[in-house]
Amino acid sequence: MLNSTGELEFSNEEDPEIISQLTSLPLSSGKSSAGVPEKTGYPDSVYVMAANIFQGIQIEKSAQKVLIKYGNEPLRSLSESEDQSFQRLSYELAFSALKYQDILETILIDSCIFPSTTIPDHLSSLIIVMLYDFQDRKFQTRVLSDNEEPISEVQEVENLLNSFKIKLAAALARCRIKHDAVSIYHILPETVRKQELRASTLPLYAWINTCKISPEEVYNNLKRRGYNKVKSVLHIDDKVFAVDQHCYDVLIFPSHLKNDLINIDLFKDYKLIFQDKSRSLAVHSVKALLNMEDDILMVNTGSWYTVAHMSVLTNNNTSKVFVCGVQSQAKDPDLKTLFTKIGCKNIEILRETFINIESKDHRLQKVKVILLLPRCSGLGVSNPVEFILNEHEDTEFLKDHSQGGISVDKLHVLAQQQYEQLTHAMKFTKAQAVVYCTCSVCPEENEAVVEKALEFQDLGNKGQPYRLSPPVLPLCSLKEIQLSTDKFFRMEPSEITNGCFLSILTRERDPSETVSVKDVLARAAAKGLLDGIELGKSSKREKKKKKSKTSLTKGATTDDGIQMKIAEFLNRETKASANLSETVTKPPLPQKNTAQVEASSQTRKPNKLAPHAAVPTFMKNTCPSRPHERQTRFLRPRPEDRMVALKPIEIVLPPVFMPFSSPQGIRSRMPAQHLYCRWVAPKALVPTCLPTRSLSGKEEKPKDDTPSSLLRPPRRWL
């Protein structure tokens, strides 16, 4: 029983008008109470559970600074409720009392509750949490429920606080005046106040259980319930939802709809599951790196919903999801029941901790991707209560967040643990990728750990060394692109999401391992590139190999046939030219080079002369009946080709005398037979364009010593 020596004398010490003014001042928040329903208190069982949580996470002080002693014996509750809403209320109340622990202790001392009353140590935690709720209700009487069975310890503490109500209000007012604050909310550190502000607007994220329902069915179900699909849920008070830009199976809801959502069938039947977005980003990154038959090893998962999400994403594959770190067999029935309700079938739980698992464990020979979610400070989380309920089981997480930071020594301890786990993950020789994800924004836990692990990785393993790879998630804004320039994926804490860090370490596959068509299609499907295409209809590798071999054989046969035809044609034309030269009585012409032989050996129409030599050699070959000859000989035209203005033609002149400037002198020197003129080009390279200057007689006049250079014997077809 609580005893007090001065509570009956207090009513004459203060002016009732002043006390009424004190109780009407804003107490725990600087926001206006207009439009906000008045708080009526919590059930007795919530106070008891919150007191037990607070007792385990309360900030211990040195012996010189101890004002109130907290016992080690927890309070006994009549019933332990497993309802998530009940647990959330208890954690929120305990976390709020933890943030204001120093202020609440000062109020209890200043109001003479301590040490004037004889209070057992194990009730100190209950007094703290109930005092926070009492001042949050502006010291109004709690509304009791008729259906709830009262708890004696709660009733005793409540009677004590009611008897000291005026003193408590006065002590609170003096505390605000001392700190020059409108409410005790403004006494908190700035980092904590910013965190609370973000938590008040942080939307809810839930992933779709595609094992039970399709996204389209979820959309239609929500629309029938009055929910409208929008692009962004920020600053919208209506019943709306949006699809996340990074994860196609994640929906976003405004935070004020939480109580309405948890009561609909979609959430009761595990068709929609609440999950922090950072965990969805991690499992989607793993999915993008998987092949059809690859296994996954998950380390430090925290929430079993993360494991279930990974299982659902790989439901269509033959992959297994290995989870390590579950040492208690008592959890097996609950886990199996949960996974059965969700529809997971490919999960296997390992009893060993991750550090104790050998890298060559025979069970993990097909593990290609390791998802590492190490325990971290969580300084990127805005709402630690929601996070601890969904992701984290350690209540120490709340203690760090209540002060807005973490000690340097504890940060170094966490960073060392993260480094050891990451280096151990890199020792698995069969693994090809490691996904490292935290909910922290501290570089000591993120970039520093990854870079150190890459620098000191063991290169003696058979596998290829690890390297840093760019994110496999879509970058949806300029800010995300800027934050990911060094191949790390980062999200800063904001009003729409918690902060997180994600890094992907990959290494080149062993050259002896071949990637099947199914693996390529699986990766493409994970990235959303094969919408509506069934993977089972893809052709087999053996058929493609046979087709490729057949096509290569046909292509080679065709090329050989073309080459043989070209060789026969050249030999036939060469023999014809040789026979023709024997019948000519003139001295034989000088031996031609290969280009001239090819030009002279072409089939010509009657009454036509050979084209001029100034025309490029490849332009002389204009026979349309053999296009393959041009393709095989001249695959890469010379740069001059683009600069020639004229088309390839053959100039045919009639068998008459050319009009020279002095025809008499020329006739006396020419033979009696007809003259066929040929346009002779210089032996230098072909100019960029054909000459435009008219020909003179000097250029075409035959020399006396070499008349055969211009004279040709008559052709047989003339």
Side-chain angles (χ1 to χ4, degrees):
M1 180 66 66
L2 303 177
N3 298 321
S4 175
T5 59
E7 56 184 294
L8 298 178
E9 303 174 358
F10 180 76
S11 60
N12 297 325
E13 296 178 4
E14 299 286 352
D15 188 347
E17 294 182 1
I18 297 177
I19 296 173
S20 63
Q21 293 176 4
L22 293 175
T23 56
S24 64
L25 291 174
L27 300 174
S28 62
S29 176
K31 300 178 183 180
S32 175
S33 59
V36 179
E38 294 184 0
K39 297 183 179 180
T40 59
Y42 299 97
D44 288 6
S45 55
V46 172
Y47 289 122
V48 172
M49 185 174 183
N52 291 334
I53 296 173
F54 178 83
Q55 189 177 46
I57 63 175
Q58 54 89 17
I59 301 173
E60 299 179 357
K61 301 178 181 179
S62 60
Q64 295 80 8
K65 297 182 179 181
V66 170
L67 301 177
I68 299 177
K69 294 181 180 180
Y70 299 93
N72 298 324
E73 182 183 354
L75 297 175
R76 289 180 296 177
S77 178
L78 296 179
S79 61
E80 292 292 337
S81 175
E82 298 295 335
D83 184 65
Q84 190 175 16
S85 61
F86 173 87
Q87 295 180 3
R88 181 176 291 100
L89 292 175
S90 302
Y91 274 97
E92 287 177 349
L93 181 57
F95 182 61
S96 298
L98 182 64
K99 289 186 293 184
Y100 297 100
Q101 179 179 344
D102 290 341
I103 300 173
L104 296 174
E105 289 179 352
T106 302
I107 293 174
L108 289 174
I109 299 294
D110 194 19
S111 63
C112 299
I113 291 183
F114 284 94
S116 61
T117 57
T118 304
I119 303 176
D121 292 345
H122 70 279
L123 292 181
S124 298
S125 299
L126 183 60
I127 292 176
I128 289 291
V129 297
M130 292 189 69
L131 175 58
Y132 172 80
D133 178 60
F134 194 31
Q135 64 84 31
D136 197 30
R137 290 186 280 116
K138 300 181 180 181
F139 300 102
Q140 301 299 315
T141 304
R142 179 171 64 114
V143 178
L144 299 177
S145 175
D146 298 334
N147 299 328
E148 184 184 8
E149 184 177 355
I151 300 176
S152 59
E153 289 86 354
V154 175
Q155 299 297 321
E156 292 178 6
V157 171
E158 186 173 26
N159 293 334
L160 174 65
L161 295 178
N162 283 327
S163 65
F164 277 85
K165 177 172 63 175
I166 299 176
K167 281 189 174 184
L168 291 171
L172 179 60
R174 287 191 293 269
C175 183
R176 293 202 305 267
I177 293 172
K178 178 181 178 180
H179 292 87
D180 193 19
V182 178
S183 68
I184 62 174
Y185 167 79
H186 294 89
I187 303 177
L188 293 175
E190 184 180 0
T191 54
V192 178
R193 283 187 277 126
K194 288 183 177 179
Q195 175 182 295
E196 285 193 358
L197 182 61
R198 290 196 303 266
S200 63
T201 61
L202 192 67
L204 306 171
Y205 291 86
W207 53 271
I208 302 173
N209 184 359
T210 53
C211 289
K212 289 191 169 186
I213 193 171
S214 65
E216 291 73 16
E217 292 174 335
V218 173
Y219 304 157
N220 296 333
N221 191 311
L222 291 173
K223 289 179 181 179
R224 288 194 299 268
R225 295 179 179 273
Y227 288 83
N228 296 320
K229 186 177 179 181
V230 295
K231 292 184 178 180
S232 175
V233 300
L234 193 62
H235 306 305
I236 298 180
D237 296 331
D238 298 333
K239 298 174 68 173
V240 296
F241 70 94
V243 181
D244 186 69
Q245 293 180 326
H246 298 96
C247 307
Y248 61 88
D249 62 341
V250 174
L251 302 183
I252 313 173
F253 299 90
S255 57
H256 68 273
L257 298 176
K258 183 64 175 284
N259 294 332
D260 182 52
L261 291 171
I262 59 178
N263 294 321
I264 66 177
D265 295 337
L266 289 175
F267 286 90
K268 289 182 178 180
D269 298 338
Y270 294 97
K271 296 178 181 178
L272 277 176
I273 299 175
F274 287 116
Q275 184 89 48
D276 185 73
K277 182 179 176 178
S278 63
R279 297 320 191 208
S280 297
L281 293 173
V283 296
H284 274 274
S285 298
V286 173
K287 172 63 176 176
L289 298 169
L290 283 178
N291 295 325
M292 291 292 291
E293 300 179 354
D294 293 347
D295 291 345
I296 309 108
L297 176 61
M298 300 185 66
V299 184
N300 295 340
T301 56
S303 171
W304 293 109
Y305 290 142
T306 307
V307 181
H309 196 183
M310 188 77 262
S311 174
V312 169
L313 288 179
T314 58
N315 184 53
N316 295 328
N317 300 2
T318 58
S319 304
K320 274 189 177 182
V321 180
F322 291 93
V323 186
C324 61
V326 182
Q327 299 178 353
S328 176
Q329 296 184 2
K331 294 183 178 181
D332 281 357
D334 296 336
L335 292 178
K336 291 180 180 178
T337 302
L338 175 64
F339 294 149
T340 302
K341 290 180 179 179
I342 296 177
C344 304
K345 300 178 181 179
N346 58 344
I347 299 175
E348 185 172 336
I349 299 176
L350 307 178
R351 298 297 174 190
E352 305 92 330
T353 59
F354 178 60
I355 297 297
N356 295 329
I357 296 178
E358 295 291 337
S359 59
K360 297 182 180 180
D361 194 307
H362 66 280
R363 298 168 296 180
L364 308 177
Q365 293 304 303
K366 294 179 63 179
V367 169
K368 299 300 181 182
V369 183
I370 300 176
L371 174 56
L372 184 59
L373 303 169
R375 182 174 179 269
C376 63
S377 63
L379 293 181
V381 177
S382 300
N383 193 338
V385 173
E386 287 291 340
F387 190 82
I388 196 174
L389 289 175
N390 296 330
E391 309 297 334
H392 218 286
E393 296 181 355
D394 191 357
T395 54
E396 289 288 328
F397 187 78
L398 295 178
K399 182 186 293 187
D400 298 333
H401 276 262
S402 65
Q403 306 302 313
I406 187 174
S407 64
V408 177
D409 294 338
K410 189 170 185 179
L411 187 62
H412 287 167
V413 172
L414 290 174
Q416 182 62 27
Q417 295 175 355
Q418 295 156 359
Y419 171 74
E420 292 175 358
Q421 291 182 349
L422 182 56
T423 53
H424 186 64
M426 297 168 66
K427 294 179 182 179
F428 286 75
T429 56
K430 296 294 184 179
Q432 299 298 322
V434 177
V435 178
Y436 179 86
C437 181
T438 71
C439 55
S440 174
V441 293
C442 296
E444 294 84 355
E445 299 180 273
N446 300 331
E447 296 89 345
V449 172
V450 175
E451 292 172 356
K452 182 180 178 181
L454 289 174
E455 181 180 359
F456 296 101
Q457 61 178 311
D458 186 8
L459 300 179
N461 293 332
K462 295 181 180 180
Q464 301 293 327
Y466 277 95
R467 71 185 191 283
L468 192 62
S469 296
V472 294
L473 298 169
L475 303 178
C476 304
S477 65
L478 179 60
K479 186 176 183 180
E480 291 182 3
I481 296 175
Q482 294 173 350
L483 292 174
S484 305
T485 52
D486 52 357
K487 296 184 179 181
F488 295 118
F489 184 88
R490 303 180 182 88
M491 294 189 70
E492 295 181 346
S494 64
E495 57 184 357
I496 60 174
T497 182
N498 288 323
C500 73
F501 171 86
L502 196 146
S503 175
I504 297 177
L505 307 181
T506 60
R507 57 183 171 191
E508 295 293 340
R509 286 186 174 273
D510 192 339
S512 61
E513 297 182 3
T514 58
V515 182
S516 64
V517 177
K518 290 183 179 180
D519 297 340
V520 177
L521 293 177
R523 290 187 179 182
K527 296 179 180 179
L529 303 179
L530 298 179
D531 293 340
I533 300 178
E534 298 181 5
L535 299 183
K537 294 184 179 181
S538 58
S539 59
K540 295 183 179 180
R541 188 189 305 171
E542 290 79 9
K543 291 183 179 181
K544 287 194 173 183
K545 285 185 177 180
K546 291 180 180 180
K547 290 182 180 180
S548 61
K549 289 181 179 180
T550 306
S551 61
L552 289 175
T553 305
K554 291 181 179 180
T557 305
T558 304
D559 293 340
D560 293 342
I562 293 174
Q563 296 295 336
M564 293 177 62
K565 290 181 180 180
I566 293 174
E568 292 177 359
F569 172 77
L570 293 177
N571 292 334
R572 185 170 60 255
E573 293 297 324
T574 302
K575 292 179 181 179
S577 299
N579 296 334
L580 179 62
S581 60
E582 292 177 358
T583 60
V584 179
T585 57
K586 300 288 182 178
L589 294 175
Q591 187 176 0
K592 299 180 181 180
N593 55 26
T594 306
Q596 291 174 336
V597 170
E598 292 177 2
S600 62
S601 62
Q602 297 179 13
T603 305
R604 295 177 176 82
K605 296 180 181 181
N607 299 330
K608 289 188 179 181
L609 293 177
H612 196 279
V615 180
T617 306
F618 73 93
M619 296 177 63
K620 296 179 183 180
N621 190 4
T622 59
C623 180
S625 61
R626 295 180 177 87
H628 56 271
E629 294 185 25
R630 296 195 302 270
Q631 295 175 2
T632 55
R633 293 181 186 178
F634 309 105
L635 295 178
R636 297 183 62 184
R638 293 175 296 182
E640 298 91 334
D641 303 343
R642 296 190 301 270
M643 307 180 70
V644 175
L646 300 179
K647 296 181 179 179
I649 60 174
E650 292 183 357
I651 302 175
V652 181
L653 299 177
V656 296
F657 296 104
M658 297 297 292
F660 294 100
S661 57
S662 55
Q664 296 296 331
I666 297 298
R667 285 197 186 101
S668 61
R669 300 170 60 182
M670 295 291 291
Q673 59 183 352
H674 296 295
L675 175 64
Y676 291 83
C677 297
R678 183 185 180 191
W679 185 13
V680 181
K683 295 182 180 181
L685 292 175
V686 179
T688 58
C689 61
L690 295 179
T692 57
R693 184 169 55 89
S694 61
L695 298 175
S696 62
K698 295 180 180 180
E699 293 175 350
E700 289 296 315
K701 187 181 298 183
K703 296 181 181 180
D704 295 338
D705 52 348
T706 58
S708 62
S709 62
L710 291 178
L711 299 180
R712 299 296 301 272
R715 300 295 188 229
R716 295 181 179 181
W717 54 79
L718 294 178

